[in-house]
Amino acid sequence: MKKNHLKRLLVLLVFAFSTSVIAQQVTVTGNVSDNVGVLPGVNIVEKGTTNGVTTDFDGNYTISVDAGATLVFSYIGYTTQEILLSGRTTLNVTLLEDAQALDEVVIVGFGSQAKVDVTGAISQIKQQEIKQIVNADPTNALQGRLAGVQVESGGGQPGAPTNVIVRGISSLTNTFPLYVVDGTIVDDISRINAKDIIDIQVLKDATSAAIYGTRAANGVIIVSTNRGSANTGPKISIDIRGGVNTVGRTLDFLNGPQFVDFLNQRAANEGQPANIADNGVNTDFQDLTLNSGIIQDYGFNISGGGENSSYYFSANYYDEEGIVTSTDFQRFNVRFNSRFNLGKLTVSPSFAYNQRNLDQNPFFGNGTFTAPVVRAEAPERLGGFEAIDSNLFGGSGGTNNYALAQLVDDQLTERNILANVNTRYEIIEGLTVGLNIGVDYRNTYINVFAPTFDLSPTDQQDNLNELNDLTENRGEIISTNIEPTINYKKSFGKHDIDVLLGGARQEIDNNSLIIQAEGLPSNNITNVASFADQIVNSGGGRFLSRIFSVFGRVNYKFDDKYLFTAIVRRDASSRFSAEGDFNNIVLPAFSAGWVISNESWWPEDSLFNTLKIRAGYGELASQNIGDFLFQSVLNPSSNVSFNNTTAGGFAITSLVDPNISFETAQSTSVGIDGALLDNRLTFGADYYVRDNNDVLAPVEVPSTTGSAEPVTQNAASIRNSGFELQANYNHDTGGNFTFNVGFTFATFDNELTELPNPLVGPSIDEEGNTPNRFEVGQPIGFFFGFRNDGIYRSQAEIDSDPGVANDPERRAILQPGDFRRVDIDGNGIINNDDRVNLGSPIPDFTYGINFNGAYKNWDFGLNFNGVQGVEIFNANLFTGTFFLDGNKFGFVQDSFVLGQNENTNIPRASLPNAAGNQLPSDFYVEDGSYLRLRTLEIGYNLTDAIDLPWVSFARVFYNMQNVFTITDYSGYDPEVGSTQNGTGGGFFGNPNNTPPILGRGIDFGAQPRPRTFILGLQVSF
């Protein structure tokens, strides 16, 4: 009896002791990363329980568990790890990529797929790479990281628009991709805070982008932002960055005495008196214009969630002073995202507010460079500045662009609200209905004010402003999209099927009002207010456009080996006439894939761990044109005469084609994805051909029609083809040093295959000479002009030149020091028939090299991007060499002078130039190839050094951008890009509304990109 009691007592004591040990709770903190960097969203669960958390955006976590627990770390695309705590309270984990390296989930439009099941061409960039770019526009993070994706901006102005081109130029009007942010369609992503982005997917081919129909002909970019993590307590993360923009490159211009010497030499060459006196002024306007600028970037976020919900709130302030005087950019962002799981119902709302303030300097590179004989300030003149007086300098005039930048305020303020609600309800297992509603609201205010000033008696159309001028432009755009869907997923045996049906309705309401006033009572009044009598002009309008769509997609997989996808979408757009069904189009696409490595006969010891072949064909379309271009409009300024009295009237002054319709694209692509070397090396390769037909282009009409303007018609065709390769190598042997190397490579072959009449781009001079051309059989926008074979060094060379043997008129005007034109057709006459293709703004290939590594607490990253086989038309050489007005480049000191400086290739300084030295020729065309170290970042993890329980993560880093550029281009920057819409590079700032693509590759003096130095601190609590 006593023994039984003793046994019971021992059992009770053992049970009590065991219970006390098991019940002992500890708080475990740590960081989860891979070979590249930290991993947000990793699931961490106490094994055998439902107790779990996820890592925050810096890869940090905190979890309370039993002291003897085992933690399970899992993340899509990585091997799950189970780790016994063994008394530890700090546990940092490095996850390895899964043996099935292609099992990573990617967004495919209205859904997601495992990457191994994807049969289209999709590229992805993750949060860690996006965060390395300290820039106002997160689009810049794509440069050099994704094969076949080119990122271009027209210079280094803060807040400048960025062009993204996916797989080449495919249109003559608009070649920009469709952007989708958390399900809402937007025009670009420049308004988004980069630190809110989880990943960016680029759908490059028709088989992946066809689900978006007529908005997807130029590719689709899908952005997903952070929504927090369920089952986690509140996490606060702070990101502070600050630094400086510096001038990375300057050009060589004449100083004051050199400028006077040049004017005198030019006068002597023209047989004029060389008696221009040096006024003793020597102003370096480049030095005044280009300066260092401060960058500030402050942000924080709070995230967390309960059992059935998650939330994410962030705020960010970004302020950047440009290196060009009078340029500045501020951006303020607020975002709140969340997700609620209410049984079978899931609701995911998001809300973002953005405000951008931009101070612009439209005078930089505007026509001429300010002459150095002009004083930096002129207090006695109205406005406090001066411009050159041609009476004192041999007829040379021009503006003072530095002064105009100080005098004229050009400010833009834009406010944007981006909201979205995505709702899904599971009716029965596998059958889900969804409704996505998105709103993109933008309010824009532009204020341009020019005070009264008098800079010079020369060129007073620019240098004299007797009445102050004010332009106020107010615009409002509301874009809404509603997308109901129904989705059925089912697996049975070896079969997996995923069927999606849906519809879409997008409406864009664009309303604008422009008011111009002059002669306001004071230069301190910078808005119209109640001064209605000073309004001299007004304009604006309202445009409403809609797209209605229905679509369907079927994904089928058999035995994890054989893949098939079919998509069909029907779109109707209000931008085309409903008559004759011109506003309707049906777009099919289908693709197939074969996961060879899943075959039973695939050897286990194969070099390839995973190998998949895919191919597809699809049709896309584009309706990216203005509203109502199929309708004739009345011109309210068409005056008429009755009985010798002029009266106002209305008339149709331009013709339209009412039958215009969608641009179409037929795309064929084949690709291969694989992993080898124990999944350390992954790669994807693609070859594609895309034929764009029915491309909208301006077609010339006979003058007898009564209209001098061309008519927009579906009249052109463009072919793009290319090869893409993207590879990534991860090195992790379990030691302190790990690294990751990524490589991208893409070729481009572009040809205009159909066009009724040649087109030209913007002009480079007052005579309207155009440097680029669009014609059948050539790449889009190739440079067109004369080839030169050096210069004539004597009259004897002119007399003996066979190229002008039958051209006595040209021989008579040629002088030593003029260009020797190449007689292409060999007829002994130099004329326009001798103009040829001088090069293309489309590169032969682009490439990128990305390196990220870590050693103990140190991390470092390098991002290179390169472009090869591209030409640039340096239009600045016209004003800096030949033009009457403004300063000149330093090399003109080596201009040809008979009997003094004959061993040179710089033509003589002369005006007027009857020989046409200034005409478009290979003198202006330069090799624009470059290799740029775009980003360098070094960081150090301070968490262990700080050793505070309430600091879960701390990191300090140094970031440098535009570190160096290797190029032969003589301008500020070889990354010229396209001209901005509405300006087209119009000479001396005269807009000619040339679409951006028509001015691609022409350098009109884009602002130089700064070299940026940044220090930053990231802390999480």
Side-chain angles (χ1 to χ4, degrees):
M1 189 74 174
K2 292 181 179 179
K3 289 183 178 180
N4 290 335
H5 284 298
L6 182 59
K7 288 181 179 179
R8 291 176 182 175
L9 179 60
L10 290 173
V11 170
L12 181 63
L13 289 174
V14 170
F15 178 78
F17 177 78
S18 301
T19 303
S20 65
V21 172
I22 294 173
Q24 182 181 352
Q25 294 282 306
V26 294
T27 299
V28 181
T29 61
N31 181 265
V32 183
S33 62
D34 64 1
N35 295 329
V36 178
V38 297
L39 290 175
V42 175
N43 292 311
I44 306 162
V45 178
E46 182 181 2
K47 187 175 182 179
T49 72
T50 59
N51 178 30
V53 297
T54 57
T55 57
D56 62 17
F57 82 96
D58 283 319
N60 302 313
Y61 72 94
T62 301
I63 185 172
S64 295
V65 297
D66 294 336
T70 296
L71 295 185
V72 180
F73 296 80
S74 61
Y75 191 61
I76 294 175
Y78 292 80
T79 301
T80 298
Q81 292 191 31
E82 297 184 7
I83 301 176
L84 180 66
L85 284 178
S86 301
R88 288 175 290 182
T89 58
T90 299
L91 183 59
N92 296 323
V93 178
T94 300
L95 294 184
L96 302 178
E97 288 198 1
D98 199 320
Q100 296 295 325
L102 300 179
D103 280 348
E104 180 182 358
V105 171
V106 296
I107 305 298
V108 293
F110 302 99
S112 61
Q113 279 184 288
K115 189 174 181 181
V116 71
D117 297 336
V118 172
T119 53
I122 300 177
S123 294
Q124 181 186 59
I125 181 174
K126 297 182 180 180
Q127 185 183 50
Q128 183 64 22
E129 297 169 293
I130 300 170
K131 288 166 58 178
Q132 287 183 353
I133 298 294
V134 184
N135 193 282
D137 188 348
T139 310
N140 287 281
L142 301 176
Q143 182 70 290
R145 299 182 187 270
L146 301 178
V149 179
Q150 295 174 263
V151 181
E152 300 176 338
S153 59
Q157 175 177 305
T162 302
N163 304 328
V164 178
I165 299 173
V166 179
R167 290 189 166 180
I169 304 298
S170 56
S171 176
L172 298 176
T173 54
N174 186 325
T175 192
F176 306 141
L178 171 70
Y179 295 90
V180 182
V181 179
D182 293 329
T184 300
I185 294 174
V186 299
D187 286 339
D188 61 64
I189 58 174
S190 62
R191 303 169 185 85
I192 298 176
N193 174 19
K195 292 185 281 292
D196 292 340
I197 297 175
I198 292 295
D199 58 41
I200 300 176
Q201 320 269 350
V202 181
L203 314 184
K204 298 189 290 187
D205 69 338
T207 57
S208 60
I211 197 71
Y212 290 103
T214 58
R215 300 294 305 273
N218 302 320
V220 180
I221 296 179
I222 301 177
V223 178
S224 301
T225 60
N226 203 328
R227 292 188 179 274
S229 302
N231 297 310
T232 59
K235 304 290 183 182
I236 302 175
S237 297
I238 298 173
D239 193 312
I240 301 172
R241 311 179 188 201
V244 60
N245 279 332
T246 63
V247 181
R249 186 176 191 179
T250 58
L251 305 182
D252 181 29
F253 292 100
L254 299 178
N255 61 29
Q258 291 169 344
F259 179 72
V260 173
D261 289 342
F262 170 79
L263 295 182
N264 280 319
Q265 183 60 61
R266 187 167 68 181
N269 290 349
E270 297 170 2
Q272 303 295 324
N275 56 3
I276 300 172
D278 187 346
N279 64 351
V281 176
N282 182 19
T283 306
D284 188 342
F285 280 102
Q286 180 177 234
D287 184 62
L288 288 174
T289 301
L290 301 181
N291 303 279
S292 298
I294 301 298
I295 294 181
Q296 304 174 75
D297 188 1
Y298 310 107
F300 75 94
N301 68 69
I302 304 173
S303 64
E307 183 178 354
N308 298 310
S309 65
S310 64
Y311 63 87
Y312 175 86
F313 173 81
S314 71
N316 184 259
Y317 174 74
Y318 181 92
D319 184 359
E320 179 179 359
E321 290 180 305
I323 61 173
V324 174
T325 184
S326 302
T327 60
D328 189 67
F329 178 79
Q330 296 93 32
R331 188 194 67 201
F332 176 69
N333 290 82
V334 174
R335 174 174 291 276
F336 180 71
N337 292 349
S338 58
R339 178 180 287 117
F340 302 93
N341 297 315
L342 309 173
K344 293 185 176 183
L345 177 66
T346 301
V347 182
S348 303
S350 63
F351 173 86
Y353 172 80
N354 164 261
Q355 178 170 322
R356 295 152 38 103
N357 301 307
L358 175 63
D359 292 330
Q360 305 179 90
N361 178 356
F363 304 102
F364 182 88
N366 184 23
T368 61
F369 308 105
T370 306
V373 292
V374 172
R375 292 174 293 166
E377 295 180 350
E380 75 282 1
R381 300 199 69 92
L382 179 61
F385 297 94
E386 69 175 2
I388 192 170
D389 185 343
S390 63
N391 296 317
L392 303 177
F393 293 95
S396 179
T399 60
N400 184 339
N401 292 328
Y402 170 78
L404 293 175
Q406 313 308 310
L407 293 168
V408 178
D409 289 328
D410 190 335
Q411 300 176 333
L412 178 149
T413 300
E414 183 179 76
R415 298 176 177 89
N416 173 241
I417 294 175
L418 187 63
N420 175 270
V421 177
N422 187 289
T423 304
R424 293 184 293 116
Y425 182 79
E426 186 178 28
I427 301 174
I428 59 174
E429 183 179 357
L431 181 62
T432 304
V433 294
L435 179 64
N436 182 65
I437 301 175
V439 177
D440 180 16
Y441 171 81
R442 277 174 287 157
N443 183 288
T444 303
Y445 174 64
I446 300 174
N447 182 294
V448 181
F449 180 77
T452 55
F453 55 80
D454 183 3
L455 308 184
S456 171
T458 302
D459 293 331
Q460 292 209 334
Q461 69 273 16
D462 298 307
N463 291 324
L464 174 64
N465 197 39
E466 295 180 302
L467 299 174
N468 53 33
D469 302 295
L470 172 67
T471 299
E472 290 190 79
N473 185 341
R474 298 181 183 271
E476 182 181 70
I477 300 177
I478 303 176
S479 175
T480 59
N481 62 287
I482 301 173
E483 297 160 338
T485 57
I486 182 168
N487 185 215
Y488 180 70
K489 295 183 179 181
K490 181 68 174 179
S491 297
F492 47 96
K494 295 182 178 181
H495 306 273
D496 293 273
I497 189 169
D498 182 349
V499 180
L500 173 74
L501 299 174
R505 177 189 184 275
Q506 184 185 11
E507 179 177 281
I508 303 174
D509 189 350
N510 190 335
N511 197 351
S512 63
L513 175 64
I514 304 173
I515 295 176
Q516 294 178 313
E518 66 178 22
L520 296 171
S522 168
N523 285 337
N524 294 320
I525 299 174
T526 58
N527 59 76
V528 173
S530 60
F531 300 100
D533 291 341
Q534 275 68 45
I535 296 176
V536 296
N537 199 4
S538 63
R542 183 180 182 184
F543 298 92
L544 187 68
S545 64
R546 297 184 179 96
I547 303 175
F548 297 93
S549 310
V550 292
F551 52 84
R553 178 177 63 207
V554 176
N555 291 323
Y556 173 72
K557 178 171 63 173
F558 176 72
D559 199 20
D560 290 328
K561 305 172 188 174
Y562 312 112
L563 315 170
F564 177 76
T565 298
I567 301 173
V568 64
R569 176 160 172 150
R570 179 183 183 272
D571 279 347
S573 172
S574 65
R575 290 184 172 172
F576 306 107
S577 172
E579 297 182 10
D581 208 30
F582 294 112
N583 71 340
N584 286 275
I585 193 168
V586 177
L587 303 167
F590 56 88
S591 56
W594 179 23
V595 186
I596 306 175
S597 55
N598 284 350
E599 293 286 356
S600 58
W601 46 261
W602 187 260
E604 293 185 4
D605 58 352
S606 170
L607 174 66
F608 293 93
N609 307 108
T610 307
L611 190 65
K612 178 182 68 175
I613 297 175
R614 49 186 166 78
Y617 168 84
E619 298 179 9
L620 297 171
S622 174
Q623 52 100 54
N624 293 328
I625 62 169
D627 296 310
F628 307 114
L629 291 186
F630 62 89
Q631 291 182 336
S632 297
V633 295
L634 293 173
N635 185 340
S637 302
S638 298
N639 296 331
V640 295
S641 177
F642 294 99
N643 295 324
N644 297 321
T645 302
T646 300
F650 295 82
I652 296 176
T653 56
S654 60
L655 301 178
V656 299
D657 180 356
N659 299 327
I660 59 173
S661 187
F662 299 94
E663 298 182 346
T664 61
Q666 294 77 40
S667 173
T668 302
S669 61
V670 294
I672 182 170
D673 300 312
L676 59 159
L677 302 179
D678 292 329
N679 294 292
R680 292 193 301 271
L681 176 62
T682 59
F683 69 91
D686 290 86
Y687 177 77
Y688 66 90
V689 177
R690 184 177 63 193
D691 288 301
N692 291 77
N693 298 309
D694 304 313
V695 174
L696 293 165
V699 179
E700 296 178 357
V701 295
S703 59
T704 53
T705 60
S707 174
E709 298 295 325
V711 177
T712 299
Q713 294 181 322
N714 296 100
S717 297
I718 302 169
R719 165 165 284 205
N720 285 283
S721 62
F723 170 78
E724 299 169 351
L725 173 65
Q726 189 146 345
N728 194 78
Y729 178 78
N730 286 300
H731 177 80
D732 186 356
T733 58
N736 291 324
F737 177 60
T738 62
F739 68 87
N740 171 277
V741 179
F743 175 74
T744 64
F745 174 83
T747 68
F748 298 92
D749 188 7
N750 172 271
E751 181 183 356
L752 187 60
T753 55
E754 184 178 0
L755 186 67
N757 52 263
L759 300 177
V760 296
S763 63
I764 64 167
D765 56 30
E766 291 176 315
E767 283 70 42
N769 290 302
T770 55
N772 62 343
R773 192 172 176 89
F774 303 77
E775 66 178 37
V776 173
Q778 299 287 351
I780 286 180
F782 71 97
F783 303 127
F784 188 65
F786 295 100
R787 290 200 181 278
N788 300 315
D789 184 20
I791 61 176
Y792 295 110
R793 306 187 187 283
S794 66
Q795 186 62 45
E797 289 189 7
I798 298 173
D799 295 337
S800 61
D801 182 12
V804 292
N806 300 319
D807 198 348
E809 293 184 4
R810 180 165 180 79
R811 282 204 314 273
I813 60 176
L814 287 173
Q815 296 183 36
D818 287 332
F819 281 130
R820 184 201 305 267
R821 302 293 194 202
V822 177
D823 181 19
I824 299 297
D825 55 18
N827 63 358
I829 300 174
I830 300 297
N831 54 27
N832 286 339
D833 293 337
D834 294 304
R835 294 178 298 172
V836 295
N837 183 340
L838 300 175
S840 170
I842 297 174
D844 293 335
F845 62 88
T846 62
Y847 58 97
I849 304 171
N850 305 289
F851 177 87
N852 292 278
Y855 178 74
K856 294 185 178 180
N857 288 330
W858 291 94
D859 62 85
F860 36 89
L862 299 171
N863 168 223
F864 293 87
N865 83 283
V867 175
Q868 191 66 35
V870 64
E871 278 76 40
I872 296 173
F873 193 94
N874 189 352
N876 303 295
L877 292 176
F878 169 73
T879 53
T881 307
F882 301 111
F883 192 59
L884 170 66
D885 300 331
N887 199 7
K888 300 292 175 279
F889 289 117
F891 63 72
V892 300
Q893 296 179 90
D894 194 36
S895 296
F896 180 91
V897 179
L898 187 62
Q900 298 182 30
N901 187 34
E902 298 179 350
N903 188 25
T904 178
N905 287 319
I906 307 301
R908 64 189 178 94
S910 177
L911 280 173
N913 195 301
N917 290 332
Q918 78 281 8
L919 296 177
S921 71
D922 57 10
F923 175 77
Y924 300 95
V925 178
E926 301 184 39
D927 182 7
S929 303
Y930 68 87
L931 170 63
R932 168 172 286 156
L933 177 51
R934 199 172 191 87
T935 305
L936 178 153
E937 183 166 300
I938 302 174
Y940 185 79
N941 191 323
L942 297 169
T943 310
D944 294 338
I946 294 177
D947 194 24
L948 294 174
W950 47 273
V951 177
S952 60
F953 176 77
R955 174 178 178 262
V956 63
F957 67 92
Y958 167 78
N959 181 288
M960 186 176 177
Q961 297 183 111
N962 291 330
V963 183
F964 64 79
T965 303
I966 301 173
T967 183
D968 291 331
Y969 182 58
S970 67
Y972 280 117
D973 197 295
E975 195 176 326
V976 175
S978 305
T979 52
Q980 295 184 22
N981 194 19
T983 63
F987 191 67
F988 289 167
N990 298 320
N992 56 13
N993 294 317
T994 301
I997 294 304
L998 298 192
R1000 190 165 185 251
I1002 304 176
D1003 188 355
F1004 283 101
Q1007 294 187 14
R1009 281 171 182 76
R1011 179 171 294 128
T1012 304
F1013 302 88
I1014 297 289
L1015 286 176
L1017 176 67
Q1018 297 167 329
V1019 183
S1020 297
F1021 309 99

